[in-house]
Amino acid sequence: MSGMHLSKEFFELIKSIGESKSKQEEDRIILNEIAVLKKKLENDKPGSITMNIPGAPGGGVATGGNSLNTNKKKAREFLVRVLYVEMLGHDGSFGYIKAVELAASQSIVHKRTGYMVCSCCLSPEHEFRFMLVNQMQRDLTSSNLLESCGALIAVTSLITPDLVGTVSTQVIGLLEHNAETVRKKAIIALHRLHQLSPDAIPQSELIEKVRKMLCDRDPGVMGATLNVIEAIARVNVLPFKDLVPSLISILKQICERRLPSEYDYHRIPAPWMQMKIVRILSVIGKNDVQSSEGMYEILGDCLRKAEEAGINASNAIVYECIRCITVIYPNPVLLDAAGNSISRFLSSRSQNLRYLGVTGLASIVEKHPKYAADHQLAVIECLEDKDDTLLRKTLDLLYRMTNPVNVEFITDRLLHFLKGATDPYLKKDLTGKICTIAERYAPNNGWYVRTVTELFKIAGDLVDPAVATNLMSLVAEGTGNEDDEEGDMVLRKQAVELYVSLLASAPNRMNRVLVETLAWVLGEYGYLSSILTLDAIIDGMCKLLQSGNTAKLGGGAPSTRRLILSAIMKMVSQYGSCPAAAAKVIDDYTKSSDPDAQKRCLEFQTMLTTAPHLLGEVFPVDASLEDVDVDENLSFLSGLVAEAVSNGARPYQKPEDDDDDDMMYGGSLTSSTANTFKMTPYEKPTQTYGQGRMSGMGSGNMGPGGDANVTLPPGGIGTSPTNAAVATPAQPMNPGQPQLQLRNVANVWGKQAAPPPAPTAVATPSAPAPVSYGGVGGGFASPAPATYGGYSGGFGSSNTAAPVPAPKTAEQLEKERLAAALFGGISATAQPPAPPALAATPQMTPVISPPAPAAPPIATAPISAPAPAVAPAPAPEVDLLDMGAWGPDTSAMAVAQPSTVDMLAPTPASEPAPPPLAAPAPPEPEQAPAQVNVDPFADAGLLDGISDSAPLSSFGSSTSLTSARFEYGGVPIAPLTITTPQFGERWGQCPSTHPVNAPSSSSASTLSKFMDICVRAGMYKVEEIAATNEGIAACMADGGSAVALVHGKIAPLPGGQQSRVDVTVKSTDAQLGGTLAMYLQNMIR
């Protein structure tokens, strides 16, 4: 930088700033420069004869001809040096007055320098701004083109809201200036004045001027107006809805190269104008079908021509077209074209284009996720790229495309990247995203606990404390289902095992959130651990606390040490005695400098030595969610009050006008307050509805003939064959209430419905008629061709031929495997899974033994005309005391079906099709086939294989009992082949619970004997847990519609010959669970 127009002093200043090695050296240079500039300003005051000559070593003497007042070149250099001082963070206010003076110069170069320094340095409240108003008014009305332009630039930076009215008239007048440069700057300045004071420049007036300037004869003015239109449209788009034809006409003329060549950039016609118009169209066409339809043709043409150019400027236009296509009302052909452009970006070797591809894919995935499935391998490659910028954008794409299917894969990827991230802002952003998707899409509670704990280990200091609170609440509350206490205990045990494994971690690597969560979980549920005994956990917590004193455990926060102390006290109470390590820690903290910790330890030490029996009440087990009992009447003070009254104290008398206390403490409500808001909660329902079955579903118009007096039998849908089928009169339906319309609706569980009516052909919206648009060049008539660009078939179809797949390598197969895990749930063909009620249950393949014969498929012919209705047969009279009704009526099943099928008649869930069904084959041949079994206990499988034909001596035979296979509804149960994690997930979804216990059992004295009983009954042995003497098994009935899970725990009694057996049976069907529980009760006695 050695221009002859710079003084040597100024040149040395710029050079020294550029060569400075530190901030301190730079500050020293600027402070020295400030001293020099202030000295120059002092020598320039009136009455001063001499001044330092710039560039003269040691300063020199000069006459007043070289002063700042007379030499404008020196004054301009002085202001530029003041601007350098301001840019580098120092105060240059001493030179502001010279900037104001220079703004009034006759020289346009000096005037613009003065305006520039004032715009950059003067704050909105500075008093010098008022001194510039008169000068700006004069310049705005000047005949000099350059002075007007300089004043317009200064208006946008120097005018404050209270000064808008002083220059608004002059700015509006410049919109009619002859020079296009002035008009271009005037419309920008007018928009700025409207932003400063909407009252002085109303929006209606601004929009009127903008619409006029859009049709300006100069393309530069039109391009400047586009910026104003976009800014206003993002706030209020309604005034510009009718500008779509004009904007399309302008864009078409630009694409057809009707603008002068001076607006081309690397052979691309006016790329910035094209991008600006496309952005405006995206704002106008959002959620507007009519406006969007008019844009389809020009967007496709613009995208195609930009694709053909293939340079950076055209790629920018392609990216803006992709964003516009994904925002406006969707069009299949344009979406396909955008997908192809994204594919080209992603397959490019240029990192910049790949970044554009990932960004475009993120925008299209938000509303059209199926298009992401076409770019699976490209996204996997971007995840493996070494470019941090591209990788960050790809991670943001993963966050946007997360769903319940791929949440585990995406969360693992985000955690893996978070481990190696060093940017604190990126780590905080990733931490928040992981917390969000983990809470929103967690497949089960156990996965959520493991994921959040891993997040605590990696970036616990950046996690919101509310996340740790939610984790503790989840462990304490579980699923919130009172009938699923076993599932809640499994979750708590998993959490305990997870945090027990962290006890051996280095204290300096454990952040505060992780330590406090660990202390709470182990303090509340440490006794559930099967890895370490409770005293070992207490020792581990004591070592953690003692080593953390020097390692700044949890960041050295006192609250962290208090929580660990409380956890140790809770576990000591649960253990029943105080280990030596715990006694030493508590004794050490009685001398702590933290008063809160000292108080806790002193109180615990006193209680431990004087009243150990109170530990269970002060530290109850699993009582974090229990309400604290409060004696509102303070009855424990009654003795003290009676003693005081007997000693002569005056009894308390409540004031007569204290009505509020009457209501608060049980007094009767007056009539004026009888209608006040009641805070008493509703009672919990005594019955449970909708437990995964269709029991009681129906309406008053469900009979074969539409008779309102015929309803479903209780449990008629989804129940076992042994249920009673009793017809009860239905309640009349209220005609004023909305009714369920079931006509022409497919019956999923019942008989086949009538086919839906043929879809009516929908006319494709035609292209808009030719319209003449007012724009550049005096107008342009837009034709309406049948096809556009390279797309055939219009805008409603795509005729792209499918490429022939090439052989795949091992690396491609591995990437496809990762892509399948990443893009699960968003495929173009796969249906999204239904959201689970509590936790997602993995699919299991049941093994049915013996296999039931499949029903033959029934071909359903289309119904041409409705058949005449058949009067329903009268319901048979049912004797409620006839025990034969418990079994299936085979005679009724043999009756042929009527020719007319009522689509609305409900059928049992187990019925696969409406044709006649044969009676189910019995598992064993009966002795008397003609005899009807009237014993309900035999049908329910409660006699353990005992029948009338068997001799009475069979009661004494243990072999006949132990070898009996459990039957439900006369059909043996089938084993359900699942894994232990699947067992735990299903355990929480079974609403019916049946506990069974045997205080002393010899037939199930060992775990292996108990599991043999379960296997002989027909169940599948899921797992034997020898460490805890527990076993689990699973079975199913009714073809898999009813599932039963069994958990047993064996506790050997002294002597070794007998054991205590505790069994819990959970089932989706209450009758199946009850009968199976009774069966096991008999077998383990």
Side-chain angles (χ1 to χ4, degrees):
M1 189 173 182
S2 59
M4 297 301 296
H5 60 283
L6 298 179
S7 65
K8 182 180 179 181
E9 194 175 73
F10 190 18
F11 176 77
E12 292 295 335
L13 170 66
I14 298 175
K15 180 180 179 182
S16 59
I17 292 175
E19 294 176 352
S20 59
K21 302 298 183 181
S22 63
K23 175 64 175 174
Q24 292 77 10
E25 183 179 355
E26 182 184 277
D27 291 341
R28 181 182 55 80
I29 296 172
I30 296 301
L31 291 175
N32 185 45
E33 178 67 15
I34 290 174
V36 173
L37 294 177
K38 285 183 177 180
K39 190 173 182 179
K40 287 180 179 293
L41 193 60
E42 290 175 358
N43 294 335
D44 192 54
K45 292 181 179 179
S48 177
I49 299 176
T50 61
M51 66 170 289
N52 288 340
I53 299 176
V61 180
T63 61
N66 286 331
S67 66
L68 298 180
N69 290 328
T70 57
N71 193 336
K72 296 300 181 184
K73 181 178 179 181
K74 299 298 181 183
R76 179 167 171 257
E77 183 179 295
F78 173 85
L79 290 182
V80 175
R81 293 165 73 173
V82 170
L83 188 59
Y84 267 88
V85 171
E86 288 278 343
M87 287 191 301
L88 295 176
H90 294 266
D91 182 22
S93 59
F94 57 87
Y96 292 171
I97 187 62
K98 284 299 176 183
V100 176
E101 293 176 2
L102 207 62
S105 175
Q106 297 299 324
S107 172
I108 187 61
V109 177
H110 299 155
K111 182 186 292 291
R112 295 179 67 176
T113 303
Y115 277 142
M116 179 188 67
V117 176
C118 291
S119 301
C120 296
C121 300
L122 294 184
S123 63
E125 298 82 13
H126 205 283
E127 61 272 12
F128 284 177
R129 287 178 179 263
F130 298 95
M131 301 171 62
L132 293 168
V133 173
N134 292 333
Q135 184 60 42
M136 285 188 291
Q137 289 177 335
R138 286 193 296 268
D139 292 339
L140 287 173
T141 56
S142 174
S143 59
N144 191 328
L145 172 65
L146 298 179
E147 290 183 354
S148 298
C149 291
L152 286 172
I153 295 174
V155 161
T156 59
S157 303
L158 296 175
I159 292 298
T160 54
D162 55 329
L163 298 177
V164 170
T166 61
V167 296
S168 59
T169 304
Q170 292 84 349
V171 173
I172 293 175
L174 290 178
L175 295 175
E176 306 295 335
H177 201 278
N178 293 329
E180 62 275 3
T181 304
V182 177
R183 297 197 303 271
K184 180 170 60 175
K185 297 182 184 301
I187 189 64
I188 299 296
L190 185 63
H191 179 233
R192 175 58 181 165
L193 295 180
H194 167 72
Q195 291 178 328
L196 292 173
S197 178
D199 296 332
I201 307 293
Q203 188 181 48
S204 58
E205 181 180 358
L206 176 63
I207 292 175
E208 178 185 355
K209 301 296 182 183
V210 166
R211 296 170 72 95
K212 182 179 179 181
M213 299 301 289
L214 182 64
C215 300
D216 193 273
R217 59 184 178 274
D218 185 75
V221 179
M222 180 266 297
T225 308
L226 293 174
N227 295 278
V228 181
I229 292 177
E230 182 187 10
I232 302 175
R234 293 192 181 277
V235 179
N236 182 17
V237 72
L238 294 179
F240 303 106
K241 287 287 186 179
D242 59 337
L243 284 183
V244 173
S246 299
L247 294 172
I248 292 176
S249 175
I250 295 172
L251 183 58
K252 183 181 289 291
Q253 294 177 66
I254 296 175
C255 293
E256 294 176 354
R257 298 181 179 273
R258 296 189 183 183
L259 266 64
S261 59
E262 61 188 30
Y263 291 96
D264 291 357
Y265 179 79
H266 289 276
R267 304 185 306 279
I268 302 298
W272 285 275
M273 291 186 188
Q274 291 191 52
M275 291 185 286
K276 187 66 64 176
I277 294 175
V278 170
R279 282 199 291 265
I280 296 174
L281 292 178
S282 66
V283 175
I284 298 177
K286 185 177 182 180
N287 301 326
D288 190 338
V289 181
Q290 184 177 1
S291 299
S292 299
E293 289 176 350
M295 307 173 189
Y296 291 157
E297 180 181 355
I298 188 61
L299 285 177
D301 191 25
C302 183
L303 177 63
R304 178 178 56 81
K305 291 183 177 181
E307 285 271 5
E308 293 174 354
I311 62 175
N312 287 338
S314 64
N315 290 331
I317 299 175
V318 171
Y319 172 71
E320 291 296 339
C321 291
I322 292 173
R323 292 188 59 185
C324 181
I325 291 170
T326 58
V327 170
I328 65 175
Y329 193 81
N331 177 269
V333 176
L334 288 180
L335 287 173
D336 292 341
N340 294 334
S341 300
I342 292 174
S343 178
R344 183 176 67 85
F345 286 159
L346 291 174
S347 60
S348 174
R349 294 184 178 182
S350 171
Q351 297 293 80
N352 295 331
L353 294 184
R354 296 177 70 187
Y355 184 89
L356 284 181
V358 173
T359 307
L361 187 60
S363 63
I364 201 173
V365 160
E366 291 183 359
K367 295 183 179 179
H368 312 283
K370 66 178 183 179
Y371 288 93
D374 300 333
H375 313 289
Q376 300 178 10
L377 299 181
V379 174
I380 295 298
E381 292 178 357
C382 292
L383 282 175
E384 300 172 354
D385 199 279
K386 297 181 180 180
D387 187 351
D388 284 346
T389 305
L390 180 61
L391 184 57
R392 292 183 185 185
K393 201 64 182 179
T394 309
L395 292 175
D396 181 70
L397 170 63
L398 297 186
Y399 171 73
R400 294 171 182 266
M401 57 190 289
T402 306
N403 57 57
V405 178
N406 59 15
V407 61
E408 298 184 39
F409 177 82
I410 291 180
T411 305
D412 290 341
R413 285 285 178 171
L414 295 179
L415 287 173
H416 176 74
F417 186 76
L418 182 61
K419 290 179 182 179
T422 57
D423 185 2
Y425 300 100
L426 175 63
K427 293 180 67 176
K428 186 172 182 62
D429 181 58
L430 282 178
T431 301
K433 290 179 178 179
I434 293 173
C435 292
T436 300
I437 63 176
E439 292 180 359
R440 184 179 302 174
Y441 303 112
N444 53 71
N445 293 335
W447 178 88
Y448 177 79
V449 172
R450 294 190 299 272
T451 301
V452 175
T453 302
E454 184 67 21
L455 182 62
F456 288 166
K457 294 166 57 178
I458 299 173
D461 295 334
L462 302 176
V463 178
D464 188 353
V467 177
T469 304
N470 294 339
L471 177 63
M472 298 177 194
S473 301
L474 176 65
V475 175
E477 298 175 1
T479 60
N481 187 2
E482 296 181 357
D483 298 333
D484 192 20
E485 185 62 27
E486 291 291 336
D488 296 343
M489 293 303 293
V490 171
L491 174 63
R492 292 163 188 161
K493 186 174 181 179
Q494 293 175 354
V496 168
E497 306 295 7
L498 177 63
Y499 283 100
V500 163
S501 63
L502 298 178
L503 278 178
S505 303
N508 57 348
R509 296 185 179 180
M510 301 177 68
N511 51 71
R512 178 178 178 180
V513 175
L514 179 61
V515 173
E516 292 181 355
T517 307
L518 179 145
W520 185 88
V521 171
L522 296 184
E524 291 289 336
Y525 306 105
Y527 60 90
L528 296 176
S529 174
S530 60
I531 299 178
L532 296 178
T533 59
L534 194 56
D535 57 337
I537 298 177
I538 295 175
D539 292 341
M541 293 290 289
C542 293
K543 293 179 182 178
L544 179 64
L545 185 59
Q546 291 171 343
S547 60
N549 290 332
T550 57
K552 295 296 183 182
L553 180 65
S559 60
T560 305
R561 294 193 294 269
R562 296 169 194 165
L563 283 175
I564 297 179
L565 285 172
S566 298
I568 293 174
M569 295 174 189
K570 290 179 183 179
M571 288 187 288
V572 167
S573 174
Q574 299 166 6
Y575 186 62
S577 63
C578 185
K584 184 179 184 304
V585 167
I586 293 172
D587 185 63
D588 291 343
Y589 272 87
T590 55
K591 311 175 188 64
S592 173
S593 59
D594 183 7
D596 187 284
Q598 184 186 40
K599 181 181 177 182
R600 295 186 188 200
C601 292
L602 287 173
E603 292 176 352
F604 182 79
Q605 197 175 58
T606 303
M607 188 183 308
L608 191 63
T609 55
T610 59
H613 59 281
L614 295 178
L615 290 177
E617 298 181 9
V618 177
F619 300 103
V621 178
D622 193 12
S624 58
L625 297 177
E626 294 182 2
D627 297 332
V628 179
D629 295 332
V630 178
D631 188 359
E632 297 180 354
N633 297 324
L634 304 179
S635 58
F636 59 89
L637 297 177
S638 300
L640 297 176
V641 173
E643 183 180 355
V645 171
S646 63
N647 293 335
R650 186 177 64 178
Y652 171 74
Q653 295 180 355
K654 186 167 55 176
E656 297 179 357
D657 58 346
D658 196 0
D659 296 335
D660 294 340
D661 292 343
D662 292 341
M663 293 190 301
M664 185 177 296
Y665 294 105
S668 60
L669 293 173
T670 60
S671 59
S672 62
T673 61
N675 295 326
T676 56
F677 188 75
K678 298 180 180 180
M679 301 299 294
T680 305
Y682 292 108
E683 296 181 358
K684 294 184 178 180
T686 57
Q687 298 181 0
T688 304
Y689 300 95
Q691 297 291 340
R693 11 184 344 172
M694 301 298 294
S695 176
M697 178 179 176
S699 63
N701 194 22
M702 297 290 287
D707 190 357
N709 296 326
V710 179
T711 61
L712 296 177
I717 297 181
T719 57
S720 63
T722 59
N723 288 345
V726 182
T728 56
Q731 297 294 333
M733 179 178 291
N734 188 357
Q737 295 180 350
Q739 301 180 6
L740 182 64
Q741 300 295 332
L742 295 179
R743 292 293 180 184
N744 295 328
V745 178
N747 292 328
V748 180
W749 294 280
K751 299 176 181 178
Q752 199 70 18
T760 305
V762 180
T764 305
S766 59
V771 180
S772 297
Y773 308 126
V776 182
F780 175 78
S782 173
T787 61
Y788 79 93
Y791 309 113
S792 60
F795 290 93
S797 63
S798 177
N799 298 330
T800 305
V804 179
K808 301 177 181 179
T809 63
E811 181 180 0
Q812 290 177 338
L813 294 176
E814 176 64 18
K815 290 183 178 180
E816 289 181 0
R817 185 188 65 80
L818 294 177
L822 171 60
F823 288 81
I826 62 172
S827 175
T829 57
Q831 297 293 332
L838 296 176
T841 304
Q843 298 294 331
M844 291 169 287
T845 304
V847 179
I848 303 177
S849 177
I858 303 299
T860 304
I863 301 176
S864 58
V870 180
E877 297 183 359
V878 180
D879 186 3
L880 299 181
L881 300 180
D882 183 8
M883 305 305 292
W886 286 51
D889 190 358
T890 57
S891 61
M893 300 173 70
V895 179
Q897 297 290 332
S899 60
T900 301
V901 179
D902 184 9
M903 282 73 67
L904 301 182
T907 57
S910 58
E911 182 180 350
L917 300 176
E924 297 177 0
E926 299 181 359
Q927 298 294 335
Q931 183 180 0
V932 179
N933 189 4
V934 296
D935 190 351
F937 297 98
D939 285 340
L942 301 180
L943 298 183
D944 300 333
I946 303 174
S947 61
D948 293 340
S949 60
L952 292 178
S953 59
S954 62
F955 280 96
S957 174
S958 60
T959 305
S960 60
L961 285 175
T962 56
S963 61
R965 187 181 181 88
F966 176 72
E967 296 182 355
Y968 177 64
V971 179
I973 60 174
L976 178 61
T977 307
I978 57 177
T979 62
T980 302
Q982 294 171 345
F983 182 93
E985 293 172 357
R986 286 232 172 181
W987 185 267
Q989 299 177 356
C990 296
S992 178
T993 305
H994 305 274
V996 175
N997 62 81
S1000 60
S1001 172
S1002 57
S1003 59
S1005 58
T1006 62
L1007 180 60
S1008 59
K1009 291 183 178 180
F1010 172 75
M1011 297 307 296
D1012 290 342
I1013 293 176
C1014 295
V1015 172
R1016 287 196 300 268
M1019 289 180 275
Y1020 172 74
K1021 180 174 68 173
V1022 180
E1023 184 180 5
E1024 291 185 17
I1025 309 174
T1028 58
N1029 260 359
E1030 294 177 88
I1032 52 178
C1035 66
M1036 60 182 179
D1038 287 348
S1041 61
V1043 175
L1045 308 176
V1046 176
H1047 170 269
K1049 184 175 180 61
I1050 314 300
L1053 297 177
Q1057 299 299 325
Q1058 293 184 336
S1059 299
R1060 174 182 174 85
V1061 183
D1062 295 311
V1063 181
T1064 302
V1065 180
K1066 300 196 70 172
S1067 175
T1068 58
D1069 185 275
Q1071 186 175 359
L1072 172 61
T1075 53
L1076 181 58
M1078 295 179 64
Y1079 170 86
L1080 293 175
Q1081 177 76 42
N1082 294 332
M1083 300 302 293
I1084 65 178
R1085 279 187 300 191

